[in-house]
Amino acid sequence: MLALHGTAILVSAAILAPTAQAATPLTPAEARQSLVGRWEGKLEYRDYKANRWFGLPVKVEVRDGGDGVTLIRTADYDDGPKTGNVRITTVSLLTDNGTEETGATFRRGRAVELETAKLSLDPASASSNSWTMIETSSGSDDDRPATLRLTTTRTGNKLVTLKEVDFSDDQKTEWLVRNRTTLERR
């Protein structure tokens, strides 16, 4: 009788065991790769002196560099009659550790910007079209040294990136919203 009881427990455990393995968490590499394609929307930026938001239509294209770790991003927007069309091209590479991205950004009339950002993906990110990633790097904004934080949230065919800065030439830790881009896949 005791042997039968043990067998019943084993059979019950086998029946109750899940048949599918838990999904593996999304990686920064997979989230980055899900950006490949054409996007349109608006770029809104905060002018510190006027203390207000300005918005411009923007078109973005992200291409795969062909090696699974390089992305080429071009963003175009019209900055008015004085400046005209602005094209920003960024080539970024996911480092071997999978949690950092090195990039070079090119824009007419400006020096090339080089940066390395630390990437963290929200553990609740469920799929390649629903995730939140935070990129943190050292750089400058408004001609001041700063820590930069980009929070990108993808929900289906919508993508929102919020840029925040914490100026490092003062004594306080204060994140200021600098700009945001709201895009839809085309």
Side-chain angles (χ1 to χ4, degrees), residues 59-72:
K59 292 182 181 184
V60 174
E61 181 178 3
V62 180
R63 288 176 283 156
D64 183 341
D67 59 6
V69 292
T70 302
L71 293 180
I72 304 158

PDB file of all heavy atoms in Angstrom, residues 59-72:
ATOM      1  N   LYS A  59      11.023  61.661 -39.085  1.00  0.00           N
ATOM      2  CA  LYS A  59      11.025  60.335 -39.711  1.00  0.00           C
ATOM      3  C   LYS A  59      12.313  59.646 -39.301  1.00  0.00           C
ATOM      4  O   LYS A  59      13.387  60.241 -39.370  1.00  0.00           O
ATOM      5  CB  LYS A  59      10.954  60.442 -41.236  1.00  0.00           C
ATOM      6  CG  LYS A  59       9.642  60.973 -41.738  1.00  0.00           C
ATOM      7  CD  LYS A  59       9.613  61.016 -43.248  1.00  0.00           C
ATOM      8  CE  LYS A  59       8.278  61.579 -43.722  1.00  0.00           C
ATOM      9  NZ  LYS A  59       8.173  61.553 -45.183  1.00  0.00           N
ATOM     10  N   VAL A  60      12.189  58.387 -38.895  1.00  0.00           N
ATOM     11  CA  VAL A  60      13.338  57.620 -38.424  1.00  0.00           C
ATOM     12  C   VAL A  60      13.386  56.298 -39.168  1.00  0.00           C
ATOM     13  O   VAL A  60      12.354  55.654 -39.373  1.00  0.00           O
ATOM     14  CB  VAL A  60      13.231  57.360 -36.898  1.00  0.00           C
ATOM     15  CG1 VAL A  60      14.342  56.453 -36.415  1.00  0.00           C
ATOM     16  CG2 VAL A  60      13.232  58.673 -36.125  1.00  0.00           C
ATOM     17  N   GLU A  61      14.581  55.914 -39.562  1.00  0.00           N
ATOM     18  CA  GLU A  61      14.787  54.586 -40.131  1.00  0.00           C
ATOM     19  C   GLU A  61      15.925  53.921 -39.384  1.00  0.00           C
ATOM     20  O   GLU A  61      16.974  54.521 -39.172  1.00  0.00           O
ATOM     21  CB  GLU A  61      15.122  54.646 -41.619  1.00  0.00           C
ATOM     22  CG  GLU A  61      15.308  53.267 -42.215  1.00  0.00           C
ATOM     23  CD  GLU A  61      15.603  53.272 -43.713  1.00  0.00           C
ATOM     24  OE1 GLU A  61      15.731  54.354 -44.301  1.00  0.00           O
ATOM     25  OE2 GLU A  61      15.723  52.170 -44.275  1.00  0.00           O
ATOM     26  N   VAL A  62      15.686  52.677 -38.957  1.00  0.00           N
ATOM     27  CA  VAL A  62      16.711  51.892 -38.282  1.00  0.00           C
ATOM     28  C   VAL A  62      17.008  50.690 -39.170  1.00  0.00           C
ATOM     29  O   VAL A  62      16.096  49.955 -39.559  1.00  0.00           O
ATOM     30  CB  VAL A  62      16.248  51.425 -36.880  1.00  0.00           C
ATOM     31  CG1 VAL A  62      17.339  50.596 -36.201  1.00  0.00           C
ATOM     32  CG2 VAL A  62      15.849  52.622 -36.021  1.00  0.00           C
ATOM     33  N   ARG A  63      18.294  50.533 -39.501  1.00  0.00           N
ATOM     34  CA  ARG A  63      18.724  49.407 -40.335  1.00  0.00           C
ATOM     35  C   ARG A  63      19.665  48.496 -39.562  1.00  0.00           C
ATOM     36  O   ARG A  63      20.428  48.955 -38.719  1.00  0.00           O
ATOM     37  CB  ARG A  63      19.429  49.919 -41.595  1.00  0.00           C
ATOM     38  CG  ARG A  63      18.445  50.555 -42.579  1.00  0.00           C
ATOM     39  CD  ARG A  63      19.141  51.148 -43.761  1.00  0.00           C
ATOM     40  NE  ARG A  63      19.715  52.417 -43.287  1.00  0.00           N
ATOM     41  CZ  ARG A  63      20.741  53.019 -43.826  1.00  0.00           C
ATOM     42  NH1 ARG A  63      21.338  52.515 -44.872  1.00  0.00           N
ATOM     43  NH2 ARG A  63      21.186  54.157 -43.332  1.00  0.00           N
ATOM     44  N   ASP A  64      19.610  47.231 -39.892  1.00  0.00           N
ATOM     45  CA  ASP A  64      20.502  46.235 -39.315  1.00  0.00           C
ATOM     46  C   ASP A  64      21.848  46.360 -40.007  1.00  0.00           C
ATOM     47  O   ASP A  64      21.921  46.396 -41.233  1.00  0.00           O
ATOM     48  CB  ASP A  64      19.900  44.844 -39.545  1.00  0.00           C
ATOM     49  CG  ASP A  64      20.701  43.728 -38.917  1.00  0.00           C
ATOM     50  OD1 ASP A  64      21.887  43.917 -38.599  1.00  0.00           O
ATOM     51  OD2 ASP A  64      20.128  42.651 -38.745  1.00  0.00           O
ATOM     52  N   GLY A  65      22.914  46.415 -39.230  1.00  0.00           N
ATOM     53  CA  GLY A  65      24.255  46.508 -39.795  1.00  0.00           C
ATOM     54  C   GLY A  65      24.744  45.206 -40.406  1.00  0.00           C
ATOM     55  O   GLY A  65      25.829  45.166 -40.980  1.00  0.00           O
ATOM     56  N   GLY A  66      23.964  44.139 -40.298  1.00  0.00           N
ATOM     57  CA  GLY A  66      24.318  42.882 -40.950  1.00  0.00           C
ATOM     58  C   GLY A  66      25.077  41.903 -40.075  1.00  0.00           C
ATOM     59  O   GLY A  66      25.371  40.790 -40.507  1.00  0.00           O
ATOM     60  N   ASP A  67      25.408  42.294 -38.854  1.00  0.00           N
ATOM     61  CA  ASP A  67      26.168  41.390 -37.991  1.00  0.00           C
ATOM     62  C   ASP A  67      25.437  41.029 -36.698  1.00  0.00           C
ATOM     63  O   ASP A  67      25.975  40.368 -35.826  1.00  0.00           O
ATOM     64  CB  ASP A  67      27.532  41.997 -37.658  1.00  0.00           C
ATOM     65  CG  ASP A  67      27.431  43.344 -36.951  1.00  0.00           C
ATOM     66  OD1 ASP A  67      26.302  43.761 -36.610  1.00  0.00           O
ATOM     67  OD2 ASP A  67      28.477  43.982 -36.763  1.00  0.00           O
ATOM     68  N   GLY A  68      24.194  41.495 -36.567  1.00  0.00           N
ATOM     69  CA  GLY A  68      23.403  41.181 -35.384  1.00  0.00           C
ATOM     70  C   GLY A  68      23.665  42.074 -34.184  1.00  0.00           C
ATOM     71  O   GLY A  68      22.949  41.988 -33.197  1.00  0.00           O
ATOM     72  N   VAL A  69      24.680  42.942 -34.242  1.00  0.00           N
ATOM     73  CA  VAL A  69      24.985  43.817 -33.106  1.00  0.00           C
ATOM     74  C   VAL A  69      25.116  45.290 -33.504  1.00  0.00           C
ATOM     75  O   VAL A  69      25.177  46.157 -32.643  1.00  0.00           O
ATOM     76  CB  VAL A  69      26.263  43.368 -32.352  1.00  0.00           C
ATOM     77  CG1 VAL A  69      26.036  42.045 -31.640  1.00  0.00           C
ATOM     78  CG2 VAL A  69      27.454  43.297 -33.288  1.00  0.00           C
ATOM     79  N   THR A  70      25.160  45.575 -34.804  1.00  0.00           N
ATOM     80  CA  THR A  70      25.300  46.955 -35.270  1.00  0.00           C
ATOM     81  C   THR A  70      23.965  47.447 -35.820  1.00  0.00           C
ATOM     82  O   THR A  70      23.309  46.755 -36.591  1.00  0.00           O
ATOM     83  CB  THR A  70      26.367  47.062 -36.384  1.00  0.00           C
ATOM     84  OG1 THR A  70      27.602  46.565 -35.878  1.00  0.00           O
ATOM     85  CG2 THR A  70      26.540  48.492 -36.855  1.00  0.00           C
ATOM     86  N   LEU A  71      23.563  48.667 -35.397  1.00  0.00           N
ATOM     87  CA  LEU A  71      22.370  49.309 -35.933  1.00  0.00           C
ATOM     88  C   LEU A  71      22.772  50.657 -36.525  1.00  0.00           C
ATOM     89  O   LEU A  71      23.634  51.353 -35.982  1.00  0.00           O
ATOM     90  CB  LEU A  71      21.323  49.537 -34.845  1.00  0.00           C
ATOM     91  CG  LEU A  71      20.667  48.304 -34.238  1.00  0.00           C
ATOM     92  CD1 LEU A  71      19.654  48.703 -33.171  1.00  0.00           C
ATOM     93  CD2 LEU A  71      19.980  47.455 -35.303  1.00  0.00           C
ATOM     94  N   ILE A  72      22.125  51.030 -37.629  1.00  0.00           N
ATOM     95  CA  ILE A  72      22.337  52.318 -38.275  1.00  0.00           C
ATOM     96  C   ILE A  72      21.003  53.044 -38.247  1.00  0.00           C
ATOM     97  O   ILE A  72      20.015  52.568 -38.808  1.00  0.00           O
ATOM     98  CB  ILE A  72      22.839  52.146 -39.723  1.00  0.00           C
ATOM     99  CG1 ILE A  72      24.114  51.305 -39.726  1.00  0.00           C
ATOM    100  CG2 ILE A  72      23.056  53.501 -40.391  1.00  0.00           C
ATOM    101  CD1 ILE A  72      24.405  50.633 -41.032  1.00  0.00           C
TER     102      ILE A  72
END
